[in-house]
Amino acid sequence: MINFSLLATAIRVLSMDAVEKAKSGHPGMPMGMADIGTVLWKNHLQHNPLNPNWANRDRFILSNGHGSMLLYSLLHLSGYALSLKEIENFRQLNSKTPGHPEYQHTVGVETSTGPLGQGIANAVGMALAEKLLATTFNKPNLNIINHYTYVFLGDGCLMEGISHEACSLAGTLKLNKLILIYDDNGISIDGHVIEWFNEDVIQRFKAYHWNVIANIDGHNIEAIDNAIIQAKQSDKPSLIICKTIIGKGSPNKSGKEDAHGAPLGKDEIELVRKELNWPFLPFEIPQEVYQQFDAKEQGKQIENEWNILFNKYSATYPELAKEFLRRINHQLPSNWNEIVANGIKKTTQAQETIATRKASQNAIEYFAQFLPELFGGSADLTGSNLTRWSNALSLNHENNFNGNYLSYGVREFAMTAMLNGIYLHGGFKPFGGTFLMFSEYARNAIRMASLMRIAPIFVYSHDSIGVGEDGPTHQPIEQIATLRLIPNINLWRPADTTESMVAWADSLKQNHRPSCLVLSRQNLKYIERNEEQINNIAKGGYILRCNSAQPEILIMATGSELELALNAYDYLSAQHKLVQLVSMPSLEVFAQQDQDYKNKVLGGEQCKYKIAIEAGVNAPWYQYVGANGLILGINSFGVSAKSADVFDYFGLTTTKVINKIKDYIN
């Protein structure tokens, strides 16, 4: 018989001891949620510690990631490959137990959490992915996808605005296999939250059309268990509100902010041991606890049952089974290179002069034929982003989960974090669009995608002062530069249809880097290229024109400004100047090339004059032009006027660009 009290006590003590040894961390939440964690992991969570990534596992998300020792304790005690030594090394350099849970760093961690509220939005994406995959692949009596997404969260998660965005949409979509468990302890770092967080959470979530199970004693095993059973039976997403005591077991610090974000202290820990009747030394766990908590055998059995089911499925639906495995493992079709080559060929034959947002839509239209896993969407700007393709089918409030396109509403932050969750779940290549300016709302979720080394695609149209009359509130200036500053991200700013097709192809093949596609509102001229140049687009930067083996002048540009650079190249060539013109659609991809290639593209040592043209802040270009180079950019906010007038105002016209270059080289 399971002694739930003993197991919860083990979590409390292990958590407080790890925080104390590290002299850093948050003991209060793990001690307060220990009973809830024990019940969920022992009685409900469908998982296998011996194979943490099997496809039909339940997903467990610790949105209140500062309480990471709760998750590490659960992983260790239930049998995951997370040793007691790693627990002892909590928050230390190179340990598998960092301060906040990190995806791909610690076994069993489904997503990196820490920025509060994002775990909730990730989980909404995961629950959506589960629903979509089940609709696509499940057959009568062969439900190969059938699992829940559980989330632990605290007051801080609900205070963050992203929780509103994501939970509102989850209620609209009726994601009934999403279960949130709220650690309602009333305490944050600053003290009792009633002083600044006194909203009616019950009514808030009922207004979202959620199933709310309130007033649960978070330390009553039976009450917790019954609440989870009730939530699993609902046809709506569920919020279970558990009243808990932060730092439970601490005689002097429980129920107080003192237990939230600092070690309890040696003396208090001794009192806790007496209070909980725990006679063991720090990091000494009795075998009885391991035996009762161990989930390896049960997990192995659950997965074996699923394997039998999947074998039956494979025998009956062999092609669907093969497709399922391809998608869940993020594998591209075997003829991917041929698909890309044909797509590029189509654009070079068409030679269209169109906005790159339209060129992007054409690329989506093309690749969607071959990638049923493509899942698109937009934050209320579908007609402007052009993220929808002709055969796209929208999800709607009637639960049409046969769809592959979602209107997220005006929810840029939640959309981006949901895209992360959809990707993390597996089975989809998700992308979502908004205006480049509104990437500002989503920035922390973009950063988390990069940090986790996952590959959702972020589509940003209206990329410059070309937005025109919408004015400085909508005209991006610094956004491209600041996105480029995020490590492990590929940002593409294509100049025409061909570069747009290549940018999409590169983004779709990524598995460890998110991509940002930065696209124009205005039409851009199609540019002729030879075969070598077309092949080199995928390298992020390439020589578009060159009139000398030893150029003295290098001109670089991206996006809409490439046409200006081409006009300047033609003028200087006519003046018998030795010039090399470079298109640089992705500085990040270019940086990944070998040094010989980069040296060749950048003109070599004899290249005296270096010029960069981009309608944004100058900062990214100093690495290539140096201190003495010329950067034709914009280092102030925009103005409201017609697009052509705005470009003229900032000196980004052919005549003004040529005159500035002439002044520079003379």
Side-chain angles (χ1 to χ4, degrees), residues 95-138:
S95 77
K96 297 296 182 183
T97 49
H100 293 81
E102 296 179 22
Y103 175 68
Q104 293 185 331
H105 182 80
T106 306
V107 63
V109 171
E110 298 283 3
T111 181
S112 296
T113 53
L116 294 177
Q118 283 201 57
I120 296 174
N122 293 164
V124 174
M126 291 178 185
L128 174 58
E130 189 274 342
K131 199 91 167 178
L132 292 165
L133 278 181
T135 302
T136 299
F137 288 101
N138 285 357

mmCIF file of all heavy atoms in Angstrom, residues 95-138:
data_model
loop_
_atom_site.group_PDB
_atom_site.id
_atom_site.type_symbol
_atom_site.label_atom_id
_atom_site.label_comp_id
_atom_site.label_asym_id
_atom_site.label_seq_id
_atom_site.Cartn_x
_atom_site.Cartn_y
_atom_site.Cartn_z
ATOM 1 N N SER A 95 25.628 20.824 -13.671
ATOM 2 C CA SER A 95 24.766 19.790 -13.097
ATOM 3 C C SER A 95 23.538 19.613 -13.979
ATOM 4 O O SER A 95 23.207 20.468 -14.806
ATOM 5 C CB SER A 95 24.331 20.174 -11.678
ATOM 6 O OG SER A 95 23.298 21.144 -11.721
ATOM 7 N N LYS A 96 22.853 18.502 -13.806
ATOM 8 C CA LYS A 96 21.608 18.234 -14.523
ATOM 9 C C LYS A 96 20.400 18.794 -13.773
ATOM 10 O O LYS A 96 19.257 18.512 -14.130
ATOM 11 C CB LYS A 96 21.430 16.730 -14.733
ATOM 12 C CG LYS A 96 22.513 16.096 -15.608
ATOM 13 C CD LYS A 96 22.476 16.650 -17.025
ATOM 14 C CE LYS A 96 23.511 15.977 -17.909
ATOM 15 N NZ LYS A 96 23.528 16.569 -19.272
ATOM 16 N N THR A 97 20.677 19.573 -12.748
ATOM 17 C CA THR A 97 19.606 20.163 -11.934
ATOM 18 C C THR A 97 19.809 21.680 -11.843
ATOM 19 O O THR A 97 20.124 22.215 -10.779
ATOM 20 C CB THR A 97 19.608 19.540 -10.526
ATOM 21 O OG1 THR A 97 20.959 19.570 -10.012
ATOM 22 C CG2 THR A 97 19.117 18.110 -10.558
ATOM 23 N N PRO A 98 19.652 22.384 -12.958
ATOM 24 C CA PRO A 98 19.822 23.839 -12.945
ATOM 25 C C PRO A 98 18.709 24.531 -12.161
ATOM 26 O O PRO A 98 17.711 23.894 -11.772
ATOM 27 C CB PRO A 98 19.778 24.208 -14.424
ATOM 28 C CG PRO A 98 18.971 23.131 -15.064
ATOM 29 C CD PRO A 98 19.283 21.879 -14.290
ATOM 30 N N GLY A 99 18.858 25.821 -11.947
ATOM 31 C CA GLY A 99 17.916 26.576 -11.130
ATOM 32 C C GLY A 99 16.484 26.505 -11.611
ATOM 33 O O GLY A 99 15.549 26.486 -10.816
ATOM 34 N N HIS A 100 16.290 26.498 -12.925
ATOM 35 C CA HIS A 100 14.968 26.321 -13.520
ATOM 36 C C HIS A 100 15.052 25.175 -14.523
ATOM 37 O O HIS A 100 16.093 24.972 -15.150
ATOM 38 C CB HIS A 100 14.498 27.601 -14.208
ATOM 39 C CG HIS A 100 14.232 28.732 -13.261
ATOM 40 N ND1 HIS A 100 15.245 29.537 -12.763
ATOM 41 C CD2 HIS A 100 13.085 29.195 -12.711
ATOM 42 C CE1 HIS A 100 14.723 30.440 -11.954
ATOM 43 N NE2 HIS A 100 13.407 30.263 -11.903
ATOM 44 N N PRO A 101 13.981 24.428 -14.709
ATOM 45 C CA PRO A 101 14.033 23.255 -15.607
ATOM 46 C C PRO A 101 14.407 23.652 -17.028
ATOM 47 O O PRO A 101 13.903 24.643 -17.562
ATOM 48 C CB PRO A 101 12.605 22.706 -15.546
ATOM 49 C CG PRO A 101 12.046 23.221 -14.265
ATOM 50 C CD PRO A 101 12.664 24.566 -14.054
ATOM 51 N N GLU A 102 15.280 22.867 -17.649
ATOM 52 C CA GLU A 102 15.752 23.156 -18.999
ATOM 53 C C GLU A 102 15.543 21.942 -19.904
ATOM 54 O O GLU A 102 16.043 20.847 -19.633
ATOM 55 C CB GLU A 102 17.236 23.535 -18.989
ATOM 56 C CG GLU A 102 17.528 24.825 -18.238
ATOM 57 C CD GLU A 102 19.001 25.175 -18.229
ATOM 58 O OE1 GLU A 102 19.734 24.680 -19.114
ATOM 59 O OE2 GLU A 102 19.433 25.922 -17.334
ATOM 60 N N TYR A 103 14.818 22.176 -20.980
ATOM 61 C CA TYR A 103 14.552 21.143 -21.986
ATOM 62 C C TYR A 103 15.855 20.687 -22.639
ATOM 63 O O TYR A 103 16.750 21.493 -22.899
ATOM 64 C CB TYR A 103 13.605 21.714 -23.039
ATOM 65 C CG TYR A 103 13.327 20.814 -24.214
ATOM 66 C CD1 TYR A 103 12.600 19.642 -24.061
ATOM 67 C CD2 TYR A 103 13.769 21.154 -25.489
ATOM 68 C CE1 TYR A 103 12.330 18.813 -25.142
ATOM 69 C CE2 TYR A 103 13.502 20.343 -26.582
ATOM 70 C CZ TYR A 103 12.788 19.174 -26.403
ATOM 71 O OH TYR A 103 12.529 18.358 -27.479
ATOM 72 N N GLN A 104 15.978 19.400 -22.869
ATOM 73 C CA GLN A 104 17.148 18.749 -23.479
ATOM 74 C C GLN A 104 18.385 18.789 -22.587
ATOM 75 O O GLN A 104 19.451 18.347 -22.987
ATOM 76 C CB GLN A 104 17.478 19.348 -24.858
ATOM 77 C CG GLN A 104 16.414 19.059 -25.905
ATOM 78 C CD GLN A 104 16.798 19.540 -27.290
ATOM 79 O OE1 GLN A 104 17.543 20.500 -27.466
ATOM 80 N NE2 GLN A 104 16.275 18.875 -28.308
ATOM 81 N N HIS A 105 18.236 19.305 -21.380
ATOM 82 C CA HIS A 105 19.356 19.312 -20.439
ATOM 83 C C HIS A 105 19.119 18.288 -19.328
ATOM 84 O O HIS A 105 20.035 17.582 -18.929
ATOM 85 C CB HIS A 105 19.526 20.714 -19.838
ATOM 86 C CG HIS A 105 20.686 20.834 -18.898
ATOM 87 N ND1 HIS A 105 21.978 20.988 -19.341
ATOM 88 C CD2 HIS A 105 20.754 20.793 -17.539
ATOM 89 C CE1 HIS A 105 22.795 21.054 -18.301
ATOM 90 N NE2 HIS A 105 22.077 20.933 -17.195
ATOM 91 N N THR A 106 17.878 18.193 -18.881
ATOM 92 C CA THR A 106 17.516 17.266 -17.816
ATOM 93 C C THR A 106 16.484 16.279 -18.341
ATOM 94 O O THR A 106 15.457 16.689 -18.897
ATOM 95 C CB THR A 106 16.935 18.029 -16.608
ATOM 96 O OG1 THR A 106 17.851 19.047 -16.206
ATOM 97 C CG2 THR A 106 16.670 17.080 -15.448
ATOM 98 N N VAL A 107 16.743 15.015 -18.174
ATOM 99 C CA VAL A 107 15.828 13.975 -18.644
ATOM 100 C C VAL A 107 14.455 14.163 -18.000
ATOM 101 O O VAL A 107 14.337 14.452 -16.813
ATOM 102 C CB VAL A 107 16.398 12.576 -18.330
ATOM 103 C CG1 VAL A 107 16.541 12.342 -16.843
ATOM 104 C CG2 VAL A 107 15.566 11.489 -18.977
ATOM 105 N N GLY A 108 13.400 14.045 -18.820
ATOM 106 C CA GLY A 108 12.044 14.158 -18.300
ATOM 107 C C GLY A 108 11.476 15.557 -18.288
ATOM 108 O O GLY A 108 10.285 15.727 -17.998
ATOM 109 N N VAL A 109 12.283 16.560 -18.591
ATOM 110 C CA VAL A 109 11.793 17.939 -18.638
ATOM 111 C C VAL A 109 11.219 18.201 -20.029
ATOM 112 O O VAL A 109 11.922 18.090 -21.029
ATOM 113 C CB VAL A 109 12.916 18.947 -18.310
ATOM 114 C CG1 VAL A 109 12.461 20.377 -18.572
ATOM 115 C CG2 VAL A 109 13.358 18.775 -16.857
ATOM 116 N N GLU A 110 9.939 18.565 -20.100
ATOM 117 C CA GLU A 110 9.243 18.710 -21.379
ATOM 118 C C GLU A 110 9.443 20.075 -22.023
ATOM 119 O O GLU A 110 9.311 20.224 -23.239
ATOM 120 C CB GLU A 110 7.737 18.471 -21.187
ATOM 121 C CG GLU A 110 7.372 17.087 -20.688
ATOM 122 C CD GLU A 110 7.441 16.027 -21.778
ATOM 123 O OE1 GLU A 110 7.831 16.345 -22.918
ATOM 124 O OE2 GLU A 110 7.100 14.865 -21.492
ATOM 125 N N THR A 111 9.737 21.087 -21.214
ATOM 126 C CA THR A 111 9.953 22.432 -21.742
ATOM 127 C C THR A 111 10.717 23.246 -20.717
ATOM 128 O O THR A 111 10.602 22.992 -19.507
ATOM 129 C CB THR A 111 8.623 23.134 -22.084
ATOM 130 O OG1 THR A 111 8.887 24.433 -22.622
ATOM 131 C CG2 THR A 111 7.728 23.285 -20.861
ATOM 132 N N SER A 112 11.487 24.202 -21.174
ATOM 133 C CA SER A 112 12.195 25.094 -20.253
ATOM 134 C C SER A 112 11.204 26.091 -19.674
ATOM 135 O O SER A 112 10.483 26.759 -20.416
ATOM 136 C CB SER A 112 13.320 25.836 -20.977
ATOM 137 O OG SER A 112 14.307 24.945 -21.439
ATOM 138 N N THR A 113 11.171 26.172 -18.354
ATOM 139 C CA THR A 113 10.281 27.123 -17.702
ATOM 140 C C THR A 113 11.065 27.981 -16.722
ATOM 141 O O THR A 113 12.167 27.644 -16.328
ATOM 142 C CB THR A 113 9.141 26.400 -16.959
ATOM 143 O OG1 THR A 113 9.697 25.420 -16.065
ATOM 144 C CG2 THR A 113 8.208 25.709 -17.930
ATOM 145 N N GLY A 114 10.475 29.056 -16.354
ATOM 146 C CA GLY A 114 11.129 30.031 -15.492
ATOM 147 C C GLY A 114 10.432 31.362 -15.674
ATOM 148 O O GLY A 114 9.870 31.911 -14.722
ATOM 149 N N PRO A 115 10.423 31.923 -16.900
ATOM 150 C CA PRO A 115 9.592 33.102 -17.150
ATOM 151 C C PRO A 115 8.127 32.729 -16.933
ATOM 152 O O PRO A 115 7.560 31.955 -17.700
ATOM 153 C CB PRO A 115 9.882 33.434 -18.623
ATOM 154 C CG PRO A 115 11.200 32.796 -18.917
ATOM 155 C CD PRO A 115 11.209 31.549 -18.084
ATOM 156 N N LEU A 116 7.540 33.250 -15.881
ATOM 157 C CA LEU A 116 6.246 32.750 -15.423
ATOM 158 C C LEU A 116 5.152 32.924 -16.468
ATOM 159 O O LEU A 116 5.090 33.924 -17.172
ATOM 160 C CB LEU A 116 5.847 33.445 -14.118
ATOM 161 C CG LEU A 116 6.745 33.115 -12.919
ATOM 162 C CD1 LEU A 116 6.317 33.901 -11.688
ATOM 163 C CD2 LEU A 116 6.736 31.620 -12.619
ATOM 164 N N GLY A 117 4.296 31.925 -16.550
ATOM 165 C CA GLY A 117 3.162 31.937 -17.469
ATOM 166 C C GLY A 117 3.435 31.252 -18.788
ATOM 167 O O GLY A 117 2.500 30.747 -19.425
ATOM 168 N N GLN A 118 4.693 31.225 -19.212
ATOM 169 C CA GLN A 118 4.982 30.614 -20.508
ATOM 170 C C GLN A 118 4.754 29.109 -20.495
ATOM 171 O O GLN A 118 4.381 28.524 -21.522
ATOM 172 C CB GLN A 118 6.405 30.938 -20.959
ATOM 173 C CG GLN A 118 6.543 32.345 -21.490
ATOM 174 C CD GLN A 118 7.757 32.518 -22.371
ATOM 175 O OE1 GLN A 118 7.925 31.827 -23.372
ATOM 176 N NE2 GLN A 118 8.621 33.451 -22.003
ATOM 177 N N GLY A 119 4.985 28.472 -19.353
ATOM 178 C CA GLY A 119 4.715 27.042 -19.271
ATOM 179 C C GLY A 119 3.258 26.731 -19.551
ATOM 180 O O GLY A 119 2.928 25.729 -20.187
ATOM 181 N N ILE A 120 2.372 27.605 -19.078
ATOM 182 C CA ILE A 120 0.947 27.422 -19.356
ATOM 183 C C ILE A 120 0.707 27.473 -20.857
ATOM 184 O O ILE A 120 0.025 26.616 -21.428
ATOM 185 C CB ILE A 120 0.111 28.511 -18.650
ATOM 186 C CG1 ILE A 120 0.233 28.392 -17.138
ATOM 187 C CG2 ILE A 120 -1.348 28.425 -19.087
ATOM 188 C CD1 ILE A 120 -0.459 29.516 -16.379
ATOM 189 N N ALA A 121 1.251 28.496 -21.513
ATOM 190 C CA ALA A 121 1.041 28.655 -22.956
ATOM 191 C C ALA A 121 1.684 27.520 -23.739
ATOM 192 O O ALA A 121 1.119 27.040 -24.732
ATOM 193 C CB ALA A 121 1.584 30.004 -23.424
ATOM 194 N N ASN A 122 2.871 27.070 -23.314
ATOM 195 C CA ASN A 122 3.478 25.883 -23.937
ATOM 196 C C ASN A 122 2.523 24.694 -23.839
ATOM 197 O O ASN A 122 2.335 23.945 -24.798
ATOM 198 C CB ASN A 122 4.784 25.504 -23.242
ATOM 199 C CG ASN A 122 5.908 26.491 -23.417
ATOM 200 O OD1 ASN A 122 6.887 26.447 -22.686
ATOM 201 N ND2 ASN A 122 5.797 27.401 -24.370
ATOM 202 N N ALA A 123 1.924 24.534 -22.666
ATOM 203 C CA ALA A 123 1.029 23.400 -22.432
ATOM 204 C C ALA A 123 -0.231 23.494 -23.287
ATOM 205 O O ALA A 123 -0.738 22.467 -23.764
ATOM 206 C CB ALA A 123 0.656 23.334 -20.953
ATOM 207 N N VAL A 124 -0.739 24.707 -23.490
ATOM 208 C CA VAL A 124 -1.887 24.870 -24.380
ATOM 209 C C VAL A 124 -1.518 24.397 -25.784
ATOM 210 O O VAL A 124 -2.293 23.706 -26.453
ATOM 211 C CB VAL A 124 -2.375 26.334 -24.394
ATOM 212 C CG1 VAL A 124 -3.471 26.526 -25.442
ATOM 213 C CG2 VAL A 124 -2.889 26.741 -23.021
ATOM 214 N N GLY A 125 -0.306 24.748 -26.230
ATOM 215 C CA GLY A 125 0.164 24.264 -27.529
ATOM 216 C C GLY A 125 0.279 22.754 -27.573
ATOM 217 O O GLY A 125 -0.094 22.114 -28.569
ATOM 218 N N MET A 126 0.788 22.156 -26.498
ATOM 219 C CA MET A 126 0.915 20.702 -26.448
ATOM 220 C C MET A 126 -0.451 20.020 -26.477
ATOM 221 O O MET A 126 -0.641 19.016 -27.181
ATOM 222 C CB MET A 126 1.670 20.295 -25.182
ATOM 223 C CG MET A 126 3.134 20.691 -25.174
ATOM 224 S SD MET A 126 3.920 20.236 -23.618
ATOM 225 C CE MET A 126 5.547 20.951 -23.849
ATOM 226 N N ALA A 127 -1.395 20.553 -25.696
ATOM 227 C CA ALA A 127 -2.740 19.969 -25.674
ATOM 228 C C ALA A 127 -3.413 20.097 -27.030
ATOM 229 O O ALA A 127 -4.138 19.194 -27.467
ATOM 230 C CB ALA A 127 -3.574 20.649 -24.589
ATOM 231 N N LEU A 128 -3.166 21.218 -27.708
ATOM 232 C CA LEU A 128 -3.700 21.392 -29.063
ATOM 233 C C LEU A 128 -3.081 20.374 -30.009
ATOM 234 O O LEU A 128 -3.785 19.747 -30.816
ATOM 235 C CB LEU A 128 -3.424 22.814 -29.549
ATOM 236 C CG LEU A 128 -3.796 23.127 -31.000
ATOM 237 C CD1 LEU A 128 -5.273 22.881 -31.262
ATOM 238 C CD2 LEU A 128 -3.424 24.573 -31.338
ATOM 239 N N ALA A 129 -1.770 20.176 -29.913
ATOM 240 C CA ALA A 129 -1.098 19.200 -30.777
ATOM 241 C C ALA A 129 -1.638 17.796 -30.541
ATOM 242 O O ALA A 129 -1.843 17.024 -31.492
ATOM 243 C CB ALA A 129 0.412 19.240 -30.523
ATOM 244 N N GLU A 130 -1.877 17.447 -29.277
ATOM 245 C CA GLU A 130 -2.445 16.130 -28.966
ATOM 246 C C GLU A 130 -3.791 15.951 -29.651
ATOM 247 O O GLU A 130 -4.081 14.917 -30.259
ATOM 248 C CB GLU A 130 -2.595 15.986 -27.446
ATOM 249 C CG GLU A 130 -2.966 14.581 -26.977
ATOM 250 C CD GLU A 130 -4.461 14.299 -26.977
ATOM 251 O OE1 GLU A 130 -5.261 15.267 -27.011
ATOM 252 O OE2 GLU A 130 -4.840 13.112 -26.962
ATOM 253 N N LYS A 131 -4.624 16.982 -29.567
ATOM 254 C CA LYS A 131 -5.970 16.920 -30.145
ATOM 255 C C LYS A 131 -5.897 16.791 -31.666
ATOM 256 O O LYS A 131 -6.637 16.011 -32.287
ATOM 257 C CB LYS A 131 -6.728 18.183 -29.762
ATOM 258 C CG LYS A 131 -8.229 18.088 -29.892
ATOM 259 C CD LYS A 131 -8.833 17.629 -28.586
ATOM 260 C CE LYS A 131 -10.337 17.829 -28.561
ATOM 261 N NZ LYS A 131 -10.934 17.341 -27.310
ATOM 262 N N LEU A 132 -5.008 17.553 -32.272
ATOM 263 C CA LEU A 132 -4.868 17.519 -33.725
ATOM 264 C C LEU A 132 -4.363 16.168 -34.212
ATOM 265 O O LEU A 132 -4.885 15.604 -35.182
ATOM 266 C CB LEU A 132 -3.913 18.632 -34.178
ATOM 267 C CG LEU A 132 -4.395 20.073 -34.001
ATOM 268 C CD1 LEU A 132 -3.226 21.036 -34.143
ATOM 269 C CD2 LEU A 132 -5.480 20.415 -35.012
ATOM 270 N N LEU A 133 -3.340 15.650 -33.542
ATOM 271 C CA LEU A 133 -2.788 14.352 -33.949
ATOM 272 C C LEU A 133 -3.805 13.235 -33.757
ATOM 273 O O LEU A 133 -3.922 12.326 -34.596
ATOM 274 C CB LEU A 133 -1.530 14.037 -33.141
ATOM 275 C CG LEU A 133 -0.209 14.658 -33.604
ATOM 276 C CD1 LEU A 133 0.916 14.210 -32.694
ATOM 277 C CD2 LEU A 133 0.111 14.303 -35.050
ATOM 278 N N ALA A 134 -4.544 13.292 -32.647
ATOM 279 C CA ALA A 134 -5.562 12.265 -32.399
ATOM 280 C C ALA A 134 -6.623 12.281 -33.495
ATOM 281 O O ALA A 134 -7.059 11.224 -33.970
ATOM 282 C CB ALA A 134 -6.207 12.499 -31.033
ATOM 283 N N THR A 135 -7.014 13.476 -33.904
ATOM 284 C CA THR A 135 -8.024 13.592 -34.959
ATOM 285 C C THR A 135 -7.509 13.039 -36.284
ATOM 286 O O THR A 135 -8.245 12.391 -37.030
ATOM 287 C CB THR A 135 -8.436 15.064 -35.138
ATOM 288 O OG1 THR A 135 -8.926 15.562 -33.890
ATOM 289 C CG2 THR A 135 -9.510 15.213 -36.197
ATOM 290 N N THR A 136 -6.239 13.265 -36.569
ATOM 291 C CA THR A 136 -5.654 12.833 -37.837
ATOM 292 C C THR A 136 -5.399 11.334 -37.875
ATOM 293 O O THR A 136 -5.682 10.669 -38.883
ATOM 294 C CB THR A 136 -4.330 13.580 -38.099
ATOM 295 O OG1 THR A 136 -4.594 14.977 -38.171
ATOM 296 C CG2 THR A 136 -3.680 13.119 -39.394
ATOM 297 N N PHE A 137 -4.866 10.789 -36.777
ATOM 298 C CA PHE A 137 -4.343 9.422 -36.835
ATOM 299 C C PHE A 137 -5.197 8.368 -36.130
ATOM 300 O O PHE A 137 -5.135 7.191 -36.505
ATOM 301 C CB PHE A 137 -2.924 9.389 -36.262
ATOM 302 C CG PHE A 137 -1.904 10.041 -37.150
ATOM 303 C CD1 PHE A 137 -1.454 11.327 -36.895
ATOM 304 C CD2 PHE A 137 -1.407 9.376 -38.265
ATOM 305 C CE1 PHE A 137 -0.515 11.937 -37.724
ATOM 306 C CE2 PHE A 137 -0.473 9.970 -39.096
ATOM 307 C CZ PHE A 137 -0.030 11.259 -38.830
ATOM 308 N N ASN A 138 -5.951 8.736 -35.128
ATOM 309 C CA ASN A 138 -6.718 7.715 -34.405
ATOM 310 C C ASN A 138 -7.796 7.090 -35.286
ATOM 311 O O ASN A 138 -8.418 7.765 -36.110
ATOM 312 C CB ASN A 138 -7.363 8.315 -33.158
ATOM 313 C CG ASN A 138 -6.363 8.549 -32.043
ATOM 314 O OD1 ASN A 138 -5.188 8.218 -32.159
ATOM 315 N ND2 ASN A 138 -6.825 9.137 -30.946
#
